[in-house]
Amino acid sequence: NNFCTYCIIPKIRGKFRSRLEKNILDEVKLLADNGVKEIILIAQDLTDYGVDIYGKRMLHDLVRKISLIEGVQWIRLLYCYPEEITDELIEEIANNDKVVKYLDLPIQHISSSVLKQMGRRTNKENIISKIETLRNKVPNIALRTSLIVGFPNESEHDFNELATFLIDYKLENVGVFSYSQEEDTPAAKMDGQIEEEIKIERKNKLMSIQRDVVKEQIKLKIGNIYDTIIDSNNGEYFIGRSYEMAPEIDGLIYIKKHKGINIGDIIKVKITDVMEYDLIGEIFDEFSK
């Protein structure tokens, strides 16, 4: 429903369509009955859930009802536009123990000028305000975002705003993409297209900044104890994730093999070492020293 100027998806897929609450709850119950412990809700914009069929935003209500289903232990929310995150949703995330303290906020940029040209319905001040509110109301929340560099007319000043934002706000997970001209989108026809070499240079600079942010943050995790869901094993290690890690896009925790652990278990793991983006840990026995 947002019709961002760089995106063809609305033209291909049409308007946002919510699934009926009953259908979602029935599916979650079926999954939970079959041993699934983590439920991930995903949409182009989760915060729009319910508006088309119920006339109001219903994500917080849906999350609460999912949390009441026996067997569900983790609920993860992906792709929530920051400008549409309601106070009710923040309260649900903060107070519902089954909702992992993790949000993916696809902000795309921080310069108000670039955001306006992208057709985003927000600005720098609103994004920063929402991040600060989330961190205040939900201590230790992990935030992920995706950013686009090299959008038409992105000035050096616009880019520096974005770089400074990453340094100042230290988001836990960031994906950076170079703008590409998608056929039949307004942005593809804009004047002020950025040269490829500049896009690559800007992308590399942001990724370098984010690597330094992660390097600083990840060392602080040594000694921390996390509830960890076990996804797989590679023969030498069990491989799992904490609440800070969405599957297939964030880091992993490698845990020394131990009898009695099964795929799908949620166990306590103490972090003993770190790699560039991943963690190494061992089973934590709360009765040991």
Side-chain angles (χ1 to χ4, degrees), residues 20-36:
L20 290 171
E21 180 186 89
K22 180 183 183 304
N23 293 349
I24 296 172
L25 295 176
D26 286 347
E27 183 178 345
V28 170
K29 186 174 187 310
L30 180 64
L31 290 167
D33 287 347
N34 282 277
V36 171

Side-chain angles (χ1 to χ4, degrees), residues 19-22 24-25 28 41 46 49 58-69 75 92:
R19 293 179 58 193
L20 290 171
E21 180 186 89
K22 180 183 183 304
I24 296 172
L25 295 176
V28 170
L41 300 181
L46 268 181
Y49 177 71
M58 294 285 287
L59 181 59
H60 65 284
D61 192 61
L62 176 66
V63 167
R64 181 180 55 79
K65 289 175 181 176
I66 289 174
S67 73
L68 299 176
I69 295 174
I75 302 168
E92 192 65 36

Side-chain angles (χ1 to χ4, degrees), residues 20-284:
L20 290 171
E21 180 186 89
K22 180 183 183 304
N23 293 349
I24 296 172
L25 295 176
D26 286 347
E27 183 178 345
V28 170
K29 186 174 187 310
L30 180 64
L31 290 167
D33 287 347
N34 282 277
V36 171
K37 294 175 182 173
E38 180 181 19
I39 299 298
I40 301 175
L41 300 181
I42 186 167
Q44 283 294 119
D45 180 9
L46 268 181
T47 55
D48 252 0
Y49 177 71
V51 172
D52 53 336
I53 51 179
Y54 301 116
K56 58 182 178 179
R57 300 187 188 283
M58 294 285 287
L59 181 59
H60 65 284
D61 192 61
L62 176 66
V63 167
R64 181 180 55 79
K65 289 175 181 176
I66 289 174
S67 73
L68 299 176
I69 295 174
E70 187 175 351
V72 172
Q73 294 190 38
W74 284 9
I75 302 168
R76 188 179 299 274
L77 309 179
L78 294 186
Y79 310 138
C80 291
Y81 281 32
E83 63 269 26
E84 309 294 355
I85 295 174
T86 62
D87 291 343
E88 292 92 342
L89 181 58
I90 293 174
E91 290 301 315
E92 192 65 36
I93 295 168
N95 298 319
N96 190 327
D97 291 340
K98 290 189 178 181
V99 182
V100 296
K101 312 316 176 196
Y102 176 108
L103 268 186
D104 189 316
L105 311 173
I107 64 174
Q108 312 304 358
H109 213 283
I110 201 63
S111 160
S112 293
S113 170
V114 174
L115 289 166
K116 184 176 181 180
Q117 292 187 79
M118 286 179 164
R120 307 290 286 187
R121 298 180 299 189
T122 189
N123 57 37
K124 177 179 181 177
E125 290 72 27
N126 288 341
I127 290 172
I128 287 174
S129 174
K130 191 57 60 85
I131 288 171
E132 290 175 344
T133 298
L134 284 164
R135 285 179 165 170
N136 181 49
K137 299 273 190 181
V138 191
N140 299 317
I141 190 170
L143 298 177
R144 158 172 276 285
T145 198
S146 48
L147 304 171
I148 297 173
V149 295
F151 191 79
N153 299 303
E154 180 191 56
S155 67
E156 197 68 33
H157 176 75
D158 294 325
F159 174 73
N160 288 335
E161 268 192 273
L162 189 53
T164 301
F165 167 76
L166 280 190
I167 294 168
D168 289 347
Y169 284 88
K170 303 185 189 306
L171 303 182
E172 285 73 12
N173 299 290
V174 175
V176 181
F177 303 90
S178 298
Y179 167 75
S180 60
Q181 289 175 274
E182 194 132 323
E183 188 178 350
D184 203 25
T185 60
K189 302 166 189 171
M190 287 180 180
D191 294 332
Q193 300 290 330
I194 306 292
E195 294 179 8
E196 287 302 319
E197 309 89 77
I198 295 176
K199 293 180 191 177
I200 292 168
E201 180 185 323
R202 289 178 178 177
K203 176 181 177 181
N204 289 342
K205 183 172 180 180
L206 285 195
M207 291 307 296
S208 175
I209 289 171
Q210 185 60 20
R211 273 194 296 272
D212 289 343
V213 168
V214 171
K215 189 184 297 183
E216 179 185 321
Q217 290 177 335
I218 203 167
K219 289 177 184 175
L220 301 176
K221 299 183 189 298
I222 295 177
N224 287 358
I225 297 159
Y226 292 100
D227 286 337
T228 301
I229 190 165
I230 305 300
D231 286 334
S232 62
N233 80 77
N234 64 5
E236 184 178 0
Y237 292 95
F238 282 102
I239 301 170
R241 294 175 290 108
S242 72
Y243 77 92
E244 299 175 323
M245 302 165 169
E248 300 183 12
I249 54 173
D250 298 327
L252 298 166
I253 303 177
Y254 290 84
I255 304 130
K256 294 172 185 175
K257 296 208 79 170
H258 192 283
K259 289 182 180 178
I261 299 179
N262 298 300
I263 306 299
D265 286 351
I266 297 178
I267 59 174
K268 290 195 179 299
V269 171
K270 183 175 184 179
I271 304 307
T272 57
D273 204 353
V274 299
M275 295 183 275
E276 187 174 16
Y277 292 103
D278 299 328
L279 306 173
I280 298 172
E282 59 186 23
I283 301 273
F284 176 71

